[in-house]
Amino acid sequence: MGKTYERIEGRLREFIEAQPVFFVASAPLAEDGHVNVSPKGRAGTLRVLDERTLAYLDFGGSHAETVAHLRENGRITLMWCAFDGPPNIVRVHGTGEPVFRDDPRFPELVAGFGDADGPALRAVVLVTAKLISDTCGFAVPFMDYRGERTLHKEHFGRKSDEEFAAYCESKPHNVSSIDGLPAIPLPLPARP
């Protein structure tokens, strides 16, 4: 039932762009390291840049596991599930790179997200697909999408960029992962 693809195009791209949530998986190289899976879902924060490249906005929170894993080894998997309509699961296995605020590519990448840009943006994560596949999704339940949660944007929208930088520094798992890998480079550079 599963199928692999050379490119993200056509129906596959339409499916990815239509999903209100996706999941990001990463892991350290250490045998006893912690595998991380994170849900992502703010509208407009994921873009298919070309047939093998995606980008998503990495907003601040209490952890930075994915960024730490990418800095160590670059391995990443993105996954989307159909919670309505025909069953489907799509995975993009590849390599990822966090593009931080002080990277010359950052302003142009962020500009491509338009209104999805917002407070507490730490990085843009670029993902290069190595393996693109789908599977049936027959066991994924139907779930109704009710709308966006605005709590994150509202909470960090009340903070200045300097206050957000201080927040990042106050959270031990922004500086390093739960396994001790370097995560967000601090002090956090100001937004360009």
Side-chain angles (χ1 to χ4, degrees), residues 81-104:
C81 298
F83 294 113
D84 63 6
N88 195 16
I89 299 171
V90 172
R91 290 181 182 87
V92 170
H93 303 266
T95 57
E97 174 193 9
V99 177
F100 297 111
R101 293 170 161 208
D102 56 354
D103 187 302

PDB file of all heavy atoms in Angstrom, residues 81-104:
ATOM      1  N   CYS A  81      -0.730  13.386   8.953  1.00  0.00           N
ATOM      2  CA  CYS A  81      -1.795  12.380   8.967  1.00  0.00           C
ATOM      3  C   CYS A  81      -3.084  13.033   8.497  1.00  0.00           C
ATOM      4  O   CYS A  81      -3.380  14.162   8.890  1.00  0.00           O
ATOM      5  CB  CYS A  81      -2.047  11.848  10.373  1.00  0.00           C
ATOM      6  SG  CYS A  81      -0.670  11.028  11.133  1.00  0.00           S
ATOM      7  N   ALA A  82      -3.856  12.294   7.729  1.00  0.00           N
ATOM      8  CA  ALA A  82      -5.191  12.760   7.357  1.00  0.00           C
ATOM      9  C   ALA A  82      -6.144  12.418   8.495  1.00  0.00           C
ATOM     10  O   ALA A  82      -6.363  11.248   8.787  1.00  0.00           O
ATOM     11  CB  ALA A  82      -5.649  12.095   6.066  1.00  0.00           C
ATOM     12  N   PHE A  83      -6.684  13.447   9.140  1.00  0.00           N
ATOM     13  CA  PHE A  83      -7.670  13.231  10.192  1.00  0.00           C
ATOM     14  C   PHE A  83      -9.086  13.379   9.652  1.00  0.00           C
ATOM     15  O   PHE A  83     -10.054  13.175  10.372  1.00  0.00           O
ATOM     16  CB  PHE A  83      -7.431  14.205  11.350  1.00  0.00           C
ATOM     17  CG  PHE A  83      -6.126  13.964  12.063  1.00  0.00           C
ATOM     18  CD1 PHE A  83      -5.105  14.891  12.001  1.00  0.00           C
ATOM     19  CD2 PHE A  83      -5.922  12.798  12.777  1.00  0.00           C
ATOM     20  CE1 PHE A  83      -3.901  14.668  12.657  1.00  0.00           C
ATOM     21  CE2 PHE A  83      -4.725  12.556  13.434  1.00  0.00           C
ATOM     22  CZ  PHE A  83      -3.708  13.500  13.376  1.00  0.00           C
ATOM     23  N   ASP A  84      -9.208  13.773   8.407  1.00  0.00           N
ATOM     24  CA  ASP A  84     -10.494  13.784   7.713  1.00  0.00           C
ATOM     25  C   ASP A  84     -10.240  13.371   6.271  1.00  0.00           C
ATOM     26  O   ASP A  84      -9.103  13.242   5.848  1.00  0.00           O
ATOM     27  CB  ASP A  84     -11.193  15.144   7.812  1.00  0.00           C
ATOM     28  CG  ASP A  84     -10.401  16.270   7.149  1.00  0.00           C
ATOM     29  OD1 ASP A  84      -9.365  16.009   6.518  1.00  0.00           O
ATOM     30  OD2 ASP A  84     -10.830  17.426   7.252  1.00  0.00           O
ATOM     31  N   GLY A  85     -11.300  13.133   5.524  1.00  0.00           N
ATOM     32  CA  GLY A  85     -11.143  12.713   4.135  1.00  0.00           C
ATOM     33  C   GLY A  85     -10.534  11.324   4.018  1.00  0.00           C
ATOM     34  O   GLY A  85     -10.514  10.554   4.972  1.00  0.00           O
ATOM     35  N   PRO A  86      -9.997  11.003   2.831  1.00  0.00           N
ATOM     36  CA  PRO A  86      -9.393   9.678   2.628  1.00  0.00           C
ATOM     37  C   PRO A  86      -8.197   9.467   3.566  1.00  0.00           C
ATOM     38  O   PRO A  86      -7.455  10.407   3.847  1.00  0.00           O
ATOM     39  CB  PRO A  86      -8.933   9.716   1.170  1.00  0.00           C
ATOM     40  CG  PRO A  86      -9.705  10.816   0.529  1.00  0.00           C
ATOM     41  CD  PRO A  86      -9.986  11.817   1.614  1.00  0.00           C
ATOM     42  N   PRO A  87      -7.985   8.245   4.055  1.00  0.00           N
ATOM     43  CA  PRO A  87      -6.867   7.986   4.958  1.00  0.00           C
ATOM     44  C   PRO A  87      -5.534   8.126   4.234  1.00  0.00           C
ATOM     45  O   PRO A  87      -5.386   7.707   3.083  1.00  0.00           O
ATOM     46  CB  PRO A  87      -7.106   6.545   5.421  1.00  0.00           C
ATOM     47  CG  PRO A  87      -7.934   5.928   4.357  1.00  0.00           C
ATOM     48  CD  PRO A  87      -8.758   7.033   3.764  1.00  0.00           C
ATOM     49  N   ASN A  88      -4.567   8.715   4.928  1.00  0.00           N
ATOM     50  CA  ASN A  88      -3.244   8.894   4.344  1.00  0.00           C
ATOM     51  C   ASN A  88      -2.264   9.325   5.431  1.00  0.00           C
ATOM     52  O   ASN A  88      -2.630  10.060   6.351  1.00  0.00           O
ATOM     53  CB  ASN A  88      -3.281   9.963   3.237  1.00  0.00           C
ATOM     54  CG  ASN A  88      -2.051   9.941   2.362  1.00  0.00           C
ATOM     55  OD1 ASN A  88      -1.285   8.977   2.345  1.00  0.00           O
ATOM     56  ND2 ASN A  88      -1.847  11.009   1.628  1.00  0.00           N
ATOM     57  N   ILE A  89      -1.050   8.858   5.332  1.00  0.00           N
ATOM     58  CA  ILE A  89       0.068   9.313   6.157  1.00  0.00           C
ATOM     59  C   ILE A  89       1.214   9.594   5.200  1.00  0.00           C
ATOM     60  O   ILE A  89       1.536   8.749   4.355  1.00  0.00           O
ATOM     61  CB  ILE A  89       0.504   8.257   7.191  1.00  0.00           C
ATOM     62  CG1 ILE A  89      -0.638   7.940   8.158  1.00  0.00           C
ATOM     63  CG2 ILE A  89       1.746   8.731   7.951  1.00  0.00           C
ATOM     64  CD1 ILE A  89      -0.341   6.748   9.065  1.00  0.00           C
ATOM     65  N   VAL A  90       1.828  10.755   5.316  1.00  0.00           N
ATOM     66  CA  VAL A  90       2.977  11.115   4.483  1.00  0.00           C
ATOM     67  C   VAL A  90       4.155  11.396   5.398  1.00  0.00           C
ATOM     68  O   VAL A  90       4.007  12.087   6.416  1.00  0.00           O
ATOM     69  CB  VAL A  90       2.677  12.352   3.607  1.00  0.00           C
ATOM     70  CG1 VAL A  90       3.929  12.835   2.886  1.00  0.00           C
ATOM     71  CG2 VAL A  90       1.578  12.037   2.602  1.00  0.00           C
ATOM     72  N   ARG A  91       5.304  10.846   5.017  1.00  0.00           N
ATOM     73  CA  ARG A  91       6.545  11.100   5.763  1.00  0.00           C
ATOM     74  C   ARG A  91       7.613  11.633   4.812  1.00  0.00           C
ATOM     75  O   ARG A  91       7.739  11.149   3.691  1.00  0.00           O
ATOM     76  CB  ARG A  91       7.058   9.829   6.427  1.00  0.00           C
ATOM     77  CG  ARG A  91       6.217   9.343   7.572  1.00  0.00           C
ATOM     78  CD  ARG A  91       6.831   8.080   8.190  1.00  0.00           C
ATOM     79  NE  ARG A  91       6.001   7.571   9.265  1.00  0.00           N
ATOM     80  CZ  ARG A  91       4.978   6.724   9.106  1.00  0.00           C
ATOM     81  NH1 ARG A  91       4.654   6.298   7.893  1.00  0.00           N
ATOM     82  NH2 ARG A  91       4.292   6.323  10.141  1.00  0.00           N
ATOM     83  N   VAL A  92       8.365  12.606   5.307  1.00  0.00           N
ATOM     84  CA  VAL A  92       9.552  13.094   4.616  1.00  0.00           C
ATOM     85  C   VAL A  92      10.723  12.855   5.562  1.00  0.00           C
ATOM     86  O   VAL A  92      10.800  13.450   6.632  1.00  0.00           O
ATOM     87  CB  VAL A  92       9.444  14.597   4.256  1.00  0.00           C
ATOM     88  CG1 VAL A  92      10.771  15.129   3.754  1.00  0.00           C
ATOM     89  CG2 VAL A  92       8.347  14.814   3.222  1.00  0.00           C
ATOM     90  N   HIS A  93      11.581  11.910   5.181  1.00  0.00           N
ATOM     91  CA  HIS A  93      12.810  11.638   5.923  1.00  0.00           C
ATOM     92  C   HIS A  93      13.909  12.435   5.246  1.00  0.00           C
ATOM     93  O   HIS A  93      14.019  12.435   4.017  1.00  0.00           O
ATOM     94  CB  HIS A  93      13.177  10.150   5.851  1.00  0.00           C
ATOM     95  CG  HIS A  93      12.115   9.237   6.356  1.00  0.00           C
ATOM     96  ND1 HIS A  93      12.085   8.780   7.642  1.00  0.00           N
ATOM     97  CD2 HIS A  93      11.041   8.696   5.730  1.00  0.00           C
ATOM     98  CE1 HIS A  93      11.053   7.976   7.801  1.00  0.00           C
ATOM     99  NE2 HIS A  93      10.389   7.920   6.655  1.00  0.00           N
ATOM    100  N   GLY A  94      14.724  13.118   6.042  1.00  0.00           N
ATOM    101  CA  GLY A  94      15.776  13.892   5.404  1.00  0.00           C
ATOM    102  C   GLY A  94      16.764  14.471   6.377  1.00  0.00           C
ATOM    103  O   GLY A  94      16.955  13.963   7.485  1.00  0.00           O
ATOM    104  N   THR A  95      17.363  15.548   5.924  1.00  0.00           N
ATOM    105  CA  THR A  95      18.307  16.279   6.755  1.00  0.00           C
ATOM    106  C   THR A  95      17.740  17.669   6.991  1.00  0.00           C
ATOM    107  O   THR A  95      17.057  18.232   6.136  1.00  0.00           O
ATOM    108  CB  THR A  95      19.686  16.383   6.086  1.00  0.00           C
ATOM    109  OG1 THR A  95      19.545  16.993   4.809  1.00  0.00           O
ATOM    110  CG2 THR A  95      20.335  15.013   5.934  1.00  0.00           C
ATOM    111  N   GLY A  96      18.034  18.191   8.172  1.00  0.00           N
ATOM    112  CA  GLY A  96      17.532  19.504   8.524  1.00  0.00           C
ATOM    113  C   GLY A  96      18.644  20.406   9.014  1.00  0.00           C
ATOM    114  O   GLY A  96      19.688  19.942   9.493  1.00  0.00           O
ATOM    115  N   GLU A  97      18.382  21.681   8.892  1.00  0.00           N
ATOM    116  CA  GLU A  97      19.335  22.694   9.337  1.00  0.00           C
ATOM    117  C   GLU A  97      18.573  23.862   9.945  1.00  0.00           C
ATOM    118  O   GLU A  97      17.709  24.439   9.292  1.00  0.00           O
ATOM    119  CB  GLU A  97      20.149  23.196   8.147  1.00  0.00           C
ATOM    120  CG  GLU A  97      21.059  24.351   8.470  1.00  0.00           C
ATOM    121  CD  GLU A  97      21.616  25.046   7.235  1.00  0.00           C
ATOM    122  OE1 GLU A  97      21.186  24.747   6.108  1.00  0.00           O
ATOM    123  OE2 GLU A  97      22.476  25.921   7.436  1.00  0.00           O
ATOM    124  N   PRO A  98      18.888  24.228  11.188  1.00  0.00           N
ATOM    125  CA  PRO A  98      18.286  25.432  11.743  1.00  0.00           C
ATOM    126  C   PRO A  98      19.005  26.671  11.210  1.00  0.00           C
ATOM    127  O   PRO A  98      20.228  26.747  11.254  1.00  0.00           O
ATOM    128  CB  PRO A  98      18.486  25.281  13.256  1.00  0.00           C
ATOM    129  CG  PRO A  98      19.663  24.375  13.409  1.00  0.00           C
ATOM    130  CD  PRO A  98      19.719  23.531  12.178  1.00  0.00           C
ATOM    131  N   VAL A  99      18.242  27.596  10.682  1.00  0.00           N
ATOM    132  CA  VAL A  99      18.790  28.875  10.208  1.00  0.00           C
ATOM    133  C   VAL A  99      18.433  29.899  11.271  1.00  0.00           C
ATOM    134  O   VAL A  99      17.271  30.261  11.424  1.00  0.00           O
ATOM    135  CB  VAL A  99      18.212  29.260   8.827  1.00  0.00           C
ATOM    136  CG1 VAL A  99      18.732  30.619   8.379  1.00  0.00           C
ATOM    137  CG2 VAL A  99      18.525  28.174   7.794  1.00  0.00           C
ATOM    138  N   PHE A 100      19.453  30.334  12.013  1.00  0.00           N
ATOM    139  CA  PHE A 100      19.231  31.226  13.148  1.00  0.00           C
ATOM    140  C   PHE A 100      19.135  32.680  12.712  1.00  0.00           C
ATOM    141  O   PHE A 100      19.467  33.042  11.582  1.00  0.00           O
ATOM    142  CB  PHE A 100      20.337  31.038  14.189  1.00  0.00           C
ATOM    143  CG  PHE A 100      20.359  29.657  14.780  1.00  0.00           C
ATOM    144  CD1 PHE A 100      21.402  28.784  14.508  1.00  0.00           C
ATOM    145  CD2 PHE A 100      19.329  29.226  15.601  1.00  0.00           C
ATOM    146  CE1 PHE A 100      21.418  27.505  15.049  1.00  0.00           C
ATOM    147  CE2 PHE A 100      19.335  27.948  16.148  1.00  0.00           C
ATOM    148  CZ  PHE A 100      20.391  27.091  15.864  1.00  0.00           C
ATOM    149  N   ARG A 101      18.711  33.514  13.626  1.00  0.00           N
ATOM    150  CA  ARG A 101      18.459  34.937  13.375  1.00  0.00           C
ATOM    151  C   ARG A 101      19.657  35.691  12.809  1.00  0.00           C
ATOM    152  O   ARG A 101      19.490  36.669  12.088  1.00  0.00           O
ATOM    153  CB  ARG A 101      18.037  35.618  14.672  1.00  0.00           C
ATOM    154  CG  ARG A 101      16.705  35.182  15.208  1.00  0.00           C
ATOM    155  CD  ARG A 101      16.533  35.744  16.604  1.00  0.00           C
ATOM    156  NE  ARG A 101      15.157  35.748  17.024  1.00  0.00           N
ATOM    157  CZ  ARG A 101      14.658  36.607  17.886  1.00  0.00           C
ATOM    158  NH1 ARG A 101      15.416  37.550  18.415  1.00  0.00           N
ATOM    159  NH2 ARG A 101      13.403  36.534  18.235  1.00  0.00           N
ATOM    160  N   ASP A 102      20.867  35.273  13.154  1.00  0.00           N
ATOM    161  CA  ASP A 102      22.054  35.982  12.682  1.00  0.00           C
ATOM    162  C   ASP A 102      22.603  35.425  11.373  1.00  0.00           C
ATOM    163  O   ASP A 102      23.623  35.880  10.869  1.00  0.00           O
ATOM    164  CB  ASP A 102      23.150  36.001  13.754  1.00  0.00           C
ATOM    165  CG  ASP A 102      23.545  34.617  14.235  1.00  0.00           C
ATOM    166  OD1 ASP A 102      22.897  33.615  13.836  1.00  0.00           O
ATOM    167  OD2 ASP A 102      24.501  34.514  15.033  1.00  0.00           O
ATOM    168  N   ASP A 103      21.907  34.462  10.781  1.00  0.00           N
ATOM    169  CA  ASP A 103      22.299  33.899   9.488  1.00  0.00           C
ATOM    170  C   ASP A 103      21.811  34.844   8.386  1.00  0.00           C
ATOM    171  O   ASP A 103      20.664  35.290   8.421  1.00  0.00           O
ATOM    172  CB  ASP A 103      21.649  32.524   9.324  1.00  0.00           C
ATOM    173  CG  ASP A 103      22.116  31.762   8.102  1.00  0.00           C
ATOM    174  OD1 ASP A 103      21.970  32.285   6.977  1.00  0.00           O
ATOM    175  OD2 ASP A 103      22.601  30.632   8.272  1.00  0.00           O
ATOM    176  N   PRO A 104      22.642  35.164   7.391  1.00  0.00           N
ATOM    177  CA  PRO A 104      22.220  36.076   6.320  1.00  0.00           C
ATOM    178  C   PRO A 104      20.996  35.597   5.540  1.00  0.00           C
ATOM    179  O   PRO A 104      20.282  36.398   4.939  1.00  0.00           O
ATOM    180  CB  PRO A 104      23.436  36.176   5.401  1.00  0.00           C
ATOM    181  CG  PRO A 104      24.543  35.446   6.048  1.00  0.00           C
ATOM    182  CD  PRO A 104      24.027  34.739   7.260  1.00  0.00           C
TER     183      PRO A 104
END
